[in-house]
Amino acid sequence: QVHLAESGGGLVQAGGSLRLSCEASGRTFSNYPMGWFRQAPGKEREFVAAITWSGGSTFYADSVKGRFTISIDNAKNTVYLQIGSLKPEDTAVYYCAADPDGDYKNRLFWGYWGQGTQVTVSS
């Protein structure tokens, strides 16, 4: 059984930053990516970033490149998403995901999800 627990969301002004955390428990995911998705009201859940368990490779959606940074602390089984230069359009529920089976950019190919953490960016 795998549990993913996000934290770190909140209300932030445009231009600000937050660090989101995702603690994984249970199964480990060596050789597979961990990822972040987000879902804004009325929109589909979209890919944000992914990282291999080793931390050696990272992947980002075009919309967040240069602003968001994904990292991993293997000792804590925790994946982080540093989100900066925030815009109101970044407002969404951010979800942690684990263990993709196929295209990591497609939400349908990820096996495990957390409950999400709300990020609200004010103008």
Side-chain angles (χ1 to χ4, degrees):
Q1 186 176 5
V2 174
H3 291 280
L4 302 175
E6 303 97 334
S7 62
L11 176 64
V12 63
Q13 294 182 359
S17 300
L18 289 171
R19 189 182 73 165
L20 310 182
S21 299
C22 172
E23 183 176 358
S25 60
R27 179 184 171 189
T28 58
F29 301 100
S30 299
N31 308 122
Y32 294 97
M34 299 285 290
W36 288 91
F37 285 70
R38 66 185 182 185
Q39 187 166 23
K43 297 184 179 180
E44 295 183 349
R45 190 172 300 187
E46 65 175 349
F47 171 76
V48 175
I51 188 169
T52 56
W53 189 254
S54 69
S57 298
T58 58
F59 312 90
Y60 297 95
D62 289 342
S63 60
V64 306
K65 285 182 179 177
R67 300 190 300 121
F68 292 10
T69 302
I70 189 170
S71 61
I72 190 166
D73 185 336
N74 300 106
K76 296 181 178 180
N77 284 347
T78 300
V79 177
Y80 302 97
L81 185 69
Q82 180 73 32
I83 59 177
S85 299
L86 289 168
K87 310 171 183 178
E89 64 200 60
D90 294 317
T91 295
V93 177
Y94 283 71
Y95 296 92
C96 182
D99 196 14
D101 182 15
D103 183 5
Y104 63 87
K105 296 181 180 179
N106 189 333
R107 64 179 178 84
L108 299 179
F109 287 82
W110 290 78
Y112 301 96
W113 296 89
Q115 294 300 306
T117 185
Q118 176 72 47
V119 172
T120 302
V121 184
S122 62
S123 300

